Every structure is written in C-alpha cells, then in structure tokens.
C-alpha cells in the first residue's frame, strides 16, 4: 500500500511506523528466505548507500547494490530461516523513518545453528509516492560466531566452525549451509586434536542414480532431496558431528561411535529410512542411499588420508551387493581399482564378443531329463582368464551397461535356438536373467518382441528371470510390463524366491509362471526344520497356484531325493551339471535326446 503524505496524525503515526518496520523486515526476508531479488530491489532508492561491518561502502548506488546482492545470494543456503530478534522504527520526520534491529539467519535443517546474526539500521525516505531505502548500515554480530549447535536429545548435533568470520561464506556449501570440504577437513583436524581418546568414524554418502534424479525430476527437486539427506545425516551424528557436502550427493560426517556392529546397524537403518521416507517421491529414478565408512584407528593419520579412504569405501558401495554400507579396508582399494578397469574395458569386451553365454541345464526331477536351462554370462578375457558375474554384474547394474549386456545375452540365445530349429535339433526353453533397470526402459517390451520376431523364435523357448530382490517398491508398474510380455507368450520366473521382502505378495500381484527357490533354503534342509517346511510349503503353494517350481543349487543326491519327494518339478545345480559353454550344452542336449 502506498503511504500518502500529510496523513501522519498522532493516531496514525504508530501504524505508519509499524508499516515501515514491516517493509524493512520484508526486505531482508525476501532476500534470505524467499530469495526474491525482484522484491528486494523494488524498495531500493537509486541513490542508496550501504555501509558494511568494517565501515566501508558495500554499495554506493542501486546498481552496485544489485550487483552485490546478486553475488551474495549465491552464498546463501536454500531454505534458510530468519528470526527477528529486535526491530524498532522511529519516525524522524514525515518523510523519513529509521528502522534498526537485529536478526538471525539459520541454516536449513539444523535449526540450532545460526548462520549469522546481523545488526542493521536502515533509513527510508519518501520518494514520489513510496518510501524507499536510502541508506543501510549492517554489521555481522560477532557473538554469532561460535554458536553452539544446541542439543538434540542431549547430544550436540552439528557444529559450526569456531573461526567463523564476517562473510566467510566460502567456508560453506551454498546449498545446505554445511561446511565445504576444505573447511570440514580443518574442523575435523582441530576437533580430533582437542578431543582425543574416543572412537571416531568418518562416513561418506552416495546416492545411486542421483544423475537420474536430476534428469527426471529437475535440479530444484534434486536439491530438495539433497537437503532432506543433509537433514538425515546431521541428525545421525553423535558426538563430534562435523559434516560437510564435498560435492553433489557426497556428504561427509565425522561421528563418534562405541561399537562397530552397532554403527553398521545404525547406518543400515539410515539407508532404509532414506528409502522409506525420501525415495517415494522419486521412484522413477529408483535412488538408493549407500554409505562408505572409515574407522579412524590411527590417531596419527592425516585427515586427507581419512577422506581418501572414506571415498574409496564410498566408491566400493556398488560392489557390495545387498548391503548399502561398506567399511574401508585396504582390499577395498583393490576392488575399486578393479571396477575402474572393468568400466574402461567393458564396451570393447562387448564389441569383441568377450562376453559368452554359458548354459546350465535344469532337470525334470521325475524323468531326470533336461527340461530347460538358464543362460549365465561369463567374461572370457583375451588372455583366456574367466571373470564371474558376481564381479562385473553389480558394476554394470550401477552404470547401466547391464542393459546392453542383457539384450546381448538374449540375442545370443535366440541365435542358438534359431540355428537349432533350422537344423531340426531339439530345443528346450532357456531362461535369461533380466536386471531391474531393463524393466524401466520404455522400449523394453518392443525390443524383446523385436528380437523374438527377428529370429523367429516361438516365445515358449524364452523364459525371463527376475530376482525377487528387485521388487522393493511399487509392484504395479512391474506387473504392467510383465503382462505385456506375457501376452506375447513369454514366461516369467521369480529367481531367488524367499530372499526378498514380499514373496507372497509377488505371487498375487505379478503374472509369474515359475518360482525358483533360493539355494540358501536347500543348503539348510539337512539342519533346519524351518527351511524344510518353507521349501515344502512353497512347492505346495505354487503347485496349487498352477505355477512351476525349480530349486536351484542342488548339489547332493539327498537334496534331489528330498525335492522329488515333495513333488518339486525341476532341479538345477552342480549335481547335474555346472554352467557350461553353449557348444558343450548343445552337445549334451544332442546326446540326451539321442542325436
Ligand atoms: P542366479 O541367477 O541366481 O544364478 C545362479 C547362480 O548359481 C549362478 O552363478 C550359477 O553358476 C550358480 N549355481 C548353479 N548351481 C549351483 C550349485 O549347485 N551350487 C552353487 N554353489 N552354485 C550354483 P553365476 O553364474 O556366478 O551367476 C551369479 C549371478 O549373476 C546370477 O545369479 C545372476 O543373478 C547374475 N547373472 C549371471 N548372468 C547374468 C546375465 O546375463 N544378466 C544378468 N542381469 N545377471 C546375470
Ligand atoms: Ca537366475
Ligand atoms: Ca538364483
């Protein structure tokens, strides 16, 4: 509202002062909280003067003011909160008011931490119809320097640096308000020197598929995720609690701990929480939180070394199938080197056909004949050495290369079936492992259909395997894709059945044809009554649901006998045959079928 001249009766003076006071507070709030520069500049006179902490001019006119604020905004963390401590307005004359006071800006997510506290004195003068800011005097309050982090359940959560200085914004990450890497290292060093004799660990986070979050949801929402993660990590810390964001999705935290197993459980819990509370909003990108950990067992070790080690552990998260938490040890370094090597050679290896299809037959338990088979990938290097899937599949799943490999495996299997059909040789249905991200590919159904039709393969010869572990979130989108392929006659098999979280749900929600009981149950049949019951009941259940059951990892005659007794359909395992090169499998198939 424009304030008109000559309206300042004694009664309205207080109202006017309040209005001017609000204008000033809005000015700061627009900047630090709403980040609306347009709103900030609207109230600034062309002749504004701004004097800063050291009694020097920050700006001598509106142009300089704009320049400074634009630059400064980049240093202000997103999501700051502003608390006004005092703000008083005095009318100097009808055309001139002065507002002075003090406010605090708080770092997002860490309500306890004051980013800075600023004293100000602002003069507004009437210019044409509106009151405009003509002079500003600001000073950062020194007391705000080493604000203690405050208490979270009796433990201090996060610390701000004690050497906080006016406009030392370079110390901080502009998005989260946490330290940046350099100031973090200094703070850690200092803290460890001053607080020796305790157990410390450094952790470093990684969000798998964070680039996908960026691409699918945009930077603003991706930033939102980082802010939520910042909150999660800072609330995790115990004791020391020094935290920074080094780059992108990598947060580092120094925390105290008492028991390594407990620390591991707590970190696993944090990763699970991330999935439950944060991932939901980004489900298309399927982000996952992982944590690399480095326990500080040598007090003499440099902070740089710790940071290096924790980063190695972070990079190794992807090698850690199953658990999102990995502790550093020197072997982890070797693993990380190996990953680098794998990634630099995988494309050439694919082009030069170093990936080979090995096949492991499945046997009908009643007839003891081959009734199917599974394609398993082997990487045969040029020097003849063989790399097993456990080494490279997790890497490929992480970097997306698995998509290429899975289509390649399907093509190779189809080529073999086509050739055998032409030669009028017998064929059995062959199952091919499918990775999770394949199902997220928009072109998936079309590509599978295309491959089958190119090689003229009747769909009954192809079975697709999905490990139960991939089903974590919404089943309905999987159900949709699976149904589309099922319409083409493709059969679906659930691998590693019984190891995930929702085995029974899967049977209900997904168009599944075959269940593969995980090897772990079989391993325990001799010692565990529970495992025996689970296998028996799973077989009964799937038969009643009109599905087939395969048990994998059958290594002994007694296991095979047991499975036969409970009417399991098929068995796969070393007892019958190991995975073998395609050519050998074909010879075996020919021999068994009397060719
Ligand atoms: P999986 O699909 O559960 O495959 C079964 C694994 O058990 C295979 O390991 C197989 O060699 C092994 N196995 C079979 N019978 C026995 C037995 O009697 N005893 C024991 N101890 N093990 C047995 P492999 O070939 O090393 O494959 C490991 C995993 O890598 C597979 O587990 C699968 O998840 C993945 N994988 C392999 N090839 C591919 C592929 O082309 N694409 C994808 N996406 N994943 C693949
Ligand atoms: Ca499998
Ligand atoms: Ca399996």
């Amino acid at each position: 509202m424009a304030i008109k001249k000559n309206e300042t009766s004694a009664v309205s003076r207080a109202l006017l002062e309040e209005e001017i006071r609000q204008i000033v507070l809005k000015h700061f709030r627009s900047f630090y909280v709403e980040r609306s520069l347009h709103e900030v500049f609207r109230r600034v006179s062309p002749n504004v003067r701004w004097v800063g902490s050291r009694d020097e001019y920050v700006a001598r006119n509106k142009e300089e003011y704009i320049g400074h604020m634009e630059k400064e905004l980049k240093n202000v963390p997103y999501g700051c909160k502003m608390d006004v401590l005092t703000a008083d307005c005095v009318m100097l004359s009808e055309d001139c008011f002065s507002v002075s006071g003090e406010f605090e800006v708080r770092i997002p997510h860490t309500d306890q931490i004051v980013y800075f506290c600023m004293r100000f004195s602002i003069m507004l003068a009437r210019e044409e119809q509106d009151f405009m800011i003509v002079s500003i005097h600001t000073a950062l309050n020194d007391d705000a320097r080493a604000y203690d982090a405050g208490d979270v359940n009796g433990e201090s959560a996060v610390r701000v640096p004690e050497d906080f200085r006016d406009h030392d914004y370079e110390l901080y990450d502009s998005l989260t308000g946490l330290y940046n890497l350099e100031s973090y290292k200094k703070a850690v060093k200092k803290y460890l020197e001053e607080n020796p004799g305790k157990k410390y660990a450094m952790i470093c986070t990684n969000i798998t598929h964070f680039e996908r979050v960026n691409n699918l949801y945009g930077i603003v929402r991706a930033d939102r995720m980082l802010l939520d993660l910042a909150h999660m990590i800072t609330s995790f810390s115990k004791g020391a609690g020094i935290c920074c964001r080094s780059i992108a999705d990598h947060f580092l935290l120094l925390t105290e701990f008492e028991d390594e197993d407990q620390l591991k459980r707590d970190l696993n819990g944090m990763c699970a929480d991330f999935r439950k509370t944060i991932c939901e909003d980004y489900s298309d990108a399927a982000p996952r939180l992982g944590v690399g950990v480095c326990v500080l067992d040598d007090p003499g070790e440099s902070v740089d070394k710790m940071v290096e080690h924790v980063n190695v552990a972070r990079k190794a998260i992807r090698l850690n199938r199953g658990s999102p938490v990995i502790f550093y040890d020197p072997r982890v370094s070797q693993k990380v080197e190996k990953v680098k090597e794998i990634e630099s050679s995988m494309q050439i290896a694919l082009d030069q056909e170093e990936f080979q299809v090995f096949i492991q037959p499945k046997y009908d338990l009643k007839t003891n004949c081959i009734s199917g088979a599974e394609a398993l990938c082997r990487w045969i290097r040029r020097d003849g050495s063989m790399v097993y899937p456990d080494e490279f599949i997790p890497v490929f799943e992480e970097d997306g290369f698995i998509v290429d490999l899975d289509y390649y495996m399907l093509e190779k299997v189809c080529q073999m079936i086509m050739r055998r059909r032409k030669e009028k040789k017998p064929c059995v249905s062959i199952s091919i492992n499918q990775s999770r991200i394949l199902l997220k590919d928009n072109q998936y159904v079309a590509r599978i259909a295309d491959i089958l039709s190119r090689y003229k393969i009747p769909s009954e010869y192809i079975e697709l395997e999905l490990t139960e572990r991939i089903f974590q979130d919404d089943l309905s989108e999987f159900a949709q894709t699976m149904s589309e392929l099922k319409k083409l006659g493709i059969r679906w098999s659930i691998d590693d059945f019984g190891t995930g979280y929702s085995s029974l749900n899967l049977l209900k929600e997904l168009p599944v044809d075959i269940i593969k009981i995980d090897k772990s149950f079989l391993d325990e049949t001799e010692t565990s009554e529970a495992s025996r019951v689970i296998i028996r009941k799973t077989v009964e259940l799937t038969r009643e649901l009109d599905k087939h059951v395969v048990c994998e990892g059958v290594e002994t005659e007694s296991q095979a006998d047991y499975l036969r007794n409970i009417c399991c359909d098929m068995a796969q395992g070393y007892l019958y045959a190991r995975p073998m090169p395609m050519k050998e499998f074909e010879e075996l198939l020919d021999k068994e079928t009397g060719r």
Side-chain angles (χ1 to χ4, degrees):
M1 157 176 114
I3 299 157
K4 294 202 184 84
K5 206 170 159 76
N6 299 328
E7 274 183 3
T8 48
S9 70
V11 180
S12 60
R13 176 177 169 156
L15 282 175
L16 202 48
E17 281 175 348
E18 176 56 21
E19 195 160 344
I20 299 284
R21 190 176 158 268
Q22 289 301 334
I23 290 173
V24 168
L25 296 180
K26 183 166 187 222
H27 182 78
F28 287 121
R29 197 163 272 126
S30 303
F31 185 74
Y32 290 111
V33 182
E34 283 141 27
R35 309 174 69 88
S36 161
L37 286 174
H38 163 77
E39 196 54 49
V40 172
F41 300 149
R42 210 165 62 86
R43 282 285 178 186
V44 176
S45 156
N47 308 313
V48 69
R49 303 263 157 161
W50 177 2
V51 178
S53 296
R54 297 179 185 104
D55 280 338
E56 65 222 8
Y57 279 117
V58 178
R60 269 162 297 210
N61 53 46
K62 185 170 178 180
E63 216 182 342
E64 284 183 16
Y65 187 95
I66 291 176
H68 181 80
M69 290 303 248
E70 278 175 345
K71 217 169 89 211
E72 204 59 36
L73 189 64
K74 297 199 182 93
N75 294 321
V76 178
Y78 281 82
C80 276
K81 287 185 185 151
M82 189 182 122
D83 289 333
V84 179
L85 304 179
T86 57
D88 300 305
C89 181
V90 180
M91 180 168 151
L92 303 174
S93 76
E94 253 183 40
D95 293 325
C96 191
F97 288 75
S98 161
V99 185
S100 54
E102 194 170 352
F103 64 86
E104 288 176 346
V105 172
R106 285 169 189 274
I107 290 179
H109 313 296
T110 46
D111 279 356
Q112 312 87 3
I113 300 179
V114 174
Y115 191 36
F116 61 81
C117 177
M118 189 183 262
R119 275 176 286 127
F120 64 90
S121 166
I122 289 194
M123 197 104 84
L124 290 97
R126 191 188 295 278
E127 287 183 1
E128 295 170 9
Q129 286 305 306
D130 274 333
F131 276 89
M132 303 292 273
I133 295 173
V134 290
S135 88
I136 305 185
H137 199 128
T138 53
L140 283 168
N141 191 345
D142 269 358
D143 297 346
R145 262 203 255 152
Y147 262 69
D148 193 80
D151 271 7
V152 175
N153 302 330
E155 306 236 50
S156 112
V158 173
R159 271 156 220 280
V160 285
E162 294 193 355
D163 50 357
F164 188 103
R165 289 280 176 272
D166 292 3
H167 288 94
D168 256 354
Y169 294 127
E170 315 84 64
L171 290 174
Y172 300 97
D173 166 41
S174 62
L175 175 69
T176 57
L178 296 168
Y179 282 129
N180 62 27
L181 185 59
E182 282 317 305
S183 48
Y184 169 79
K185 284 192 207 163
K186 281 189 202 137
V188 168
K189 184 166 183 287
K190 190 155 184 255
Y191 189 87
L192 293 177
E193 280 165 5
E194 287 170 3
N195 300 276
K198 291 181 181 162
K199 281 186 176 177
Y200 294 106
M202 194 177 278
I203 69 165
C204 182
T205 61
N206 180 61
I207 302 176
T208 313
H209 302 150
F210 185 66
E211 347 61 64
R212 267 201 255 158
V213 174
N214 257 319
N215 295 339
L216 292 175
Y217 295 92
I219 289 177
V220 174
R221 289 196 55 195
D223 280 352
R224 182 75 247 161
M225 173 184 268
L226 292 178
L227 290 170
D228 288 341
L229 178 58
H231 180 52
M232 199 169 244
I233 290 165
T234 50
S235 353
F236 177 85
S237 63
K238 299 187 179 66
I242 301 170
C243 187
C244 80
R245 185 171 76 118
S246 64
I247 190 170
D249 50 324
H250 307 322
F251 289 85
L252 282 99
L253 173 78
L254 181 78
T255 183
E256 252 174 59
F257 72 99
E258 271 163 25
D259 175 69
E260 209 168 299
D261 288 336
Q262 187 58 43
L263 176 67
K264 189 171 190 174
R265 277 194 294 276
D266 292 346
L267 288 169
N268 269 303
M270 180 169 76
C271 296
D273 276 353
F274 180 85
R275 206 165 74 205
K276 270 185 245 146
T277 58
I278 300 180
C279 288
E280 264 184 8
D281 296 340
Y282 308 85
S283 58
D284 286 346
R288 290 284 175 269
L289 179 65
V291 191
V293 190
C294 164
V295 170
L296 315 186
D297 29 29
D298 172 11
E301 193 159 67
S302 74
V303 176
D304 280 328
K305 259 275 167 296
M306 294 170 203
V307 171
E308 184 190 316
H309 287 169
V310 81
N311 272 311
V312 167
R314 167 181 59 75
K315 288 181 196 154
I317 296 168
R318 53 153 88 170
L319 308 178
N320 221 21
R321 260 191 160 180
S323 169
V325 178
I326 182 163
F327 281 66
Y328 172 83
D329 75 59
R331 278 167 306 178
V332 170
S333 288
Q334 291 163 9
K335 267 197 186 173
V336 169
E337 282 308 309
K338 203 156 199 172
V339 167
K340 270 199 215 147
E341 201 276 313
I342 287 176
E343 291 190 320
S344 64
S345 55
M346 62 193 184
Q347 186 61 53
I348 299 171
L350 186 69
D351 297 343
Q352 302 190 343
E353 310 218 336
E354 285 178 26
F355 294 107
Q356 292 191 10
V357 181
F358 270 49
I359 297 190
Q360 185 178 33
K362 297 174 196 163
Y363 282 78
D364 185 310
L365 275 160
K366 270 198 227 107
T367 63
N368 264 344
C369 294
I370 297 179
S371 60
E374 173 175 11
L376 293 158
C377 185
R378 298 288 180 268
W379 185 347
I380 316 279
R381 302 276 203 166
R382 259 174 294 173
D383 62 7
S385 60
M386 188 192 285
V387 191
Y388 285 86
D390 284 343
E391 261 180 66
F392 58 84
I393 298 279
V395 180
F396 293 177
E397 278 174 347
E398 161 103 348
D399 62 27
F401 190 70
I402 192 71
V403 171
D404 296 336
L405 182 71
D406 282 351
Y407 286 130
Y408 176 85
M409 292 287 288
L410 178 63
E411 290 232 6
K412 288 286 163 193
V413 168
C414 287
Q415 284 166 6
M416 184 258 279
I417 295 174
M418 181 177 79
R419 183 168 35 74
R420 289 185 68 87
R421 277 168 48 84
K422 271 193 190 148
E423 293 166 1
K424 305 259 184 294
K425 286 182 173 172
C427 296
V428 288
S429 159
I430 297 190
S431 63
I432 295 135
N433 293 288
Q434 305 287 280
S435 69
R436 175 195 170 90
I437 53 172
L438 210 55
L439 271 86
K440 299 259 172 188
D441 175 7
N442 287 337
Q443 297 300 310
Y444 180 57
V445 174
R447 281 187 75 170
I448 300 279
D450 170 63
I451 294 173
L452 293 188
S453 80
R454 236 180 320 123
Y455 296 105
K456 303 191 179 61
I457 307 290
S459 49
E460 77 229 41
Y461 289 121
I462 298 296
E463 191 182 300
L464 300 177
E465 286 194 16
L466 290 172
T467 170
E468 186 183 314
R469 282 180 266 251
I470 71 165
F471 299 107
Q472 277 152 355
D473 20 58
D474 191 14
L475 290 181
S476 63
E477 53 181 322
F478 287 106
Q480 169 76 19
T481 309
M482 289 170 74
S483 298
E484 282 175 40
L485 280 171
K486 200 176 157 73
K487 279 188 205 132
L488 300 177
I490 294 218
R491 286 176 309 150
W492 286 103
S493 163
I494 298 295
D495 204 353
D496 310 319
F497 190 77
T499 59
Y501 297 107
S502 52
S503 312
L504 295 179
N505 225 14
L506 299 184
L507 294 182
K508 188 161 69 74
E509 305 286 333
L510 302 176
V512 176
D513 306 280
I514 299 140
I515 292 300
K516 285 186 93 172
I517 298 176
D518 190 63
K519 182 179 186 307
S520 58
F521 294 102
L522 201 59
D523 290 341
E524 289 163 1
T525 44
E526 257 130 70
T527 52
S528 153
E529 172 66 11
S531 288
R532 278 196 295 273
V533 172
I534 291 172
I535 294 197
R536 198 175 64 227
K537 291 293 173 193
T538 307
V539 172
E540 275 173 28
L541 178 73
T542 46
R543 288 180 73 90
E544 272 177 38
L545 292 170
D546 240 359
K547 301 180 195 305
H548 291 275
V549 200
V550 185
C551 198
E552 61 181 1
V554 182
E555 291 179 351
T556 65
E557 282 294 352
S558 70
Q559 288 173 336
D561 286 340
Y562 176 74
L563 292 170
R564 206 172 289 115
N565 272 335
I566 59 170
C567 297
C568 178
D569 302 303
M570 281 190 269
Q572 177 183 349
Y574 295 170
L575 172 66
Y576 298 93
R578 290 186 175 246
M580 58 190 90
M582 190 185 265
K583 190 162 170 286
E584 269 176 44
F585 170 75
E586 288 190 63
E587 284 162 9
L588 180 71
L589 194 58
D590 291 344
K591 201 169 98 198
E592 282 224 354
T593 50
R595 284 212 165 226

